[in-house]
Amino acid sequence: FSFKHHYITHALESEILYKIFDAISQKRILTVTNTSRRTQNDRIEEIVPLKVLISVQNGRRYLAAYSISYKYYKVYRLDYLSDIVMGEAYSAFDEKREKFSLMQKNMWGVVCDERRPLEHIEFTVHIGKDEEYIYRRLLREKRCGTVERIDERTCRFSADVYDSSEMIPWIRTFICRIVKMNFSNRSVENQFKKDLEAMYWMYDVRAEVSE
């Protein structure tokens, strides 16, 4: 085997991952213990496992599931799950999985809370001379978003997602090329601009963040 990214530490989750795949293949309910990273308290839940998601940034693995205990979709970190017990078959498995697949069209990362309204985000990027690779990169990395070519030197990215704050680390990589941005969640946009202002002051740039 050859690996582009090999996160060997996740071998500790291999037994849990095996049980999850077994339950998915049999369309069964799982009883799991989910440990809160904030309080360190354990919570026992009945869930329907649907898909395993893997972060392309750090290799962390997650389980997307429908929580029978709480009656909505949730995403769990695999390293916070333990004491997995296989339960009975779940008759509505295909229905829940199909709905989750539709929800993925608005997922940038792992947030999939259907109880919250979607957040719109768009930003316009300037493409310099001999920087066509920026446009190609946007097309390659857009995930659930869309990329519109405005003219030879400008393009616009837009997306509707459950949590726009998940996109901030990626958006930061276009700093100095973003000429305009608009977030429906103003708190996220304002925090992004505050962080940028702080960086300018830290490096003694003294520039103003573009509106």
Side-chain angles (χ1 to χ4, degrees):
F1 296 94
S2 64
F3 300 89
K4 183 176 181 181
H5 303 293
H6 191 195
Y7 304 98
I8 191 65
T9 55
H10 299 313
L12 297 173
E13 306 160 3
S14 295
E15 184 178 357
I16 291 172
L17 190 64
Y18 170 79
K19 291 179 179 179
I20 288 170
F21 281 142
D22 196 21
I24 290 175
S25 66
Q26 297 185 47
K27 303 180 181 181
R28 291 182 175 272
I29 295 171
L30 286 178
T31 300
V32 301
T33 298
N34 184 30
T35 303
S36 170
R37 63 179 173 180
R38 287 182 300 228
T39 65
Q40 296 302 307
N41 292 331
D42 292 339
R43 187 166 53 196
I44 298 175
E45 296 184 41
E46 271 196 323
I47 64 174
V48 181
L50 301 173
K51 284 187 178 180
V52 173
L53 309 175
I54 302 176
S55 170
V56 296
Q57 294 171 304
N58 55 32
R60 185 173 290 148
R61 299 188 291 199
Y62 300 84
L63 170 63
Y66 178 76
S67 173
I68 296 175
S69 301
Y70 294 95
K71 309 299 182 188
Y72 58 83
Y73 291 87
K74 294 179 66 177
V75 175
Y76 303 82
R77 273 180 53 167
L78 254 63
D79 54 337
Y80 290 163
L81 297 181
S82 60
D83 301 324
I84 303 231
V85 178
M86 183 94 74
E88 61 185 14
Y90 187 70
S91 59
F93 179 90
D94 292 334
E95 175 189 334
K96 297 299 184 187
R97 186 164 186 175
E98 183 179 356
K99 184 174 180 180
F100 177 75
S101 294
L102 293 174
M103 293 170 67
Q104 280 190 287
K105 295 178 181 179
N106 297 107
M107 290 175 60
W108 182 262
V110 297
V111 175
C112 61
D113 191 347
E114 59 182 335
R115 300 166 299 169
R116 60 195 292 176
L118 293 176
E119 298 176 2
H120 181 75
I121 179 171
E122 63 180 52
F123 59 90
T124 303
V125 173
H126 173 74
I127 302 171
K129 186 179 179 181
D130 300 324
E131 287 191 337
E132 192 64 18
Y133 66 90
I134 296 297
Y135 176 66
R136 293 195 298 270
R137 184 188 158 207
L138 278 166
L139 290 176
R140 186 174 64 250
E141 300 178 4
K142 63 185 175 63
R143 300 192 193 181
C144 60
T146 58
V147 179
E148 175 189 1
R149 191 69 182 251
I150 299 174
D151 55 42
E152 185 181 0
R153 291 284 175 260
T154 317
C155 63
R156 181 188 297 118
F157 170 89
S158 60
D160 293 297
V161 295
Y162 289 104
D163 186 359
S164 53
S165 65
E166 289 187 306
M167 302 180 65
I168 293 301
W170 179 69
I171 295 173
R172 284 196 192 110
T173 65
F174 294 97
I175 286 175
C176 296
R177 291 188 172 89
I178 297 174
V179 295
K180 185 178 180 181
M181 64 191 319
N182 179 42
F183 290 38
S184 64
N185 187 331
R186 305 304 291 179
S187 296
V188 175
E189 180 177 344
N190 291 337
Q191 186 60 54
F192 177 83
K193 291 179 177 180
K194 279 183 181 179
D195 292 344
L196 198 52
E197 286 278 16
M199 183 187 70
Y200 284 147
W201 280 94
M202 183 182 298
Y203 291 98
D204 199 26
V205 176
R206 302 293 193 275
E208 292 185 2
V209 177
S210 170
E211 297 297 332

